[in-house]
Amino acid sequence: MKMVDVPVCKCLACGCHLDQAGSPGSEATPIGGDITICFKCGHLMAFTDSLMLRELTEPEQIEIAGNGYMLRLQKLRARMLQ
Ligand SMILES: [Zn+2]
């Protein structure tokens, strides 16, 4: 997984400093509206157009609630933390 630098910001839930992002199986650079997961606490957020973090809107929460890719990412994160 290729990691790319993003502006330094904090997780909106745990305050963990975040300065890189990556997507398994992709070398894409995040863009505004992409969903991200805090590796430390698992909080789901979205990138703004300036690649800062914001909370998900209610429609975004509903859209990803049963998203298989996001569920696999959460399981991968949990395994990596064991
Ligand atoms: Zn966090």
Side-chain angles (χ1 to χ4, degrees):
M1 173 171 53
K2 178 185 172 189
M3 299 298 290
V4 297
D5 292 337
V6 295
V8 177
C9 49
K10 291 182 179 179
C11 170
L12 302 174
C14 74
C16 177
H17 286 254
L18 305 171
D19 59 3
Q20 290 191 318
S23 179
S26 170
E27 295 189 5
T29 299
I31 59 172
D34 282 353
I35 306 297
T36 189
I37 301 170
C38 172
F39 187 78
K40 183 176 179 186
C41 75
H43 188 63
L44 295 168
M45 299 165 279
F47 284 106
T48 66
D49 289 339
S50 59
L51 298 183
M52 300 305 284
L53 299 171
R54 65 168 173 78
E55 296 289 359
L56 299 180
T57 63
E58 190 171 322
E60 287 171 335
Q61 293 173 11
I62 292 168
E63 183 178 332
I64 66 167
N67 181 292
Y69 182 72
M70 297 304 287
L71 294 172
R72 285 193 301 275
L73 286 180
Q74 290 284 27
K75 287 180 183 176
L76 175 65
R77 176 187 155 275
R79 275 193 219 130
M80 292 176 77
L81 292 175
Q82 291 178 349

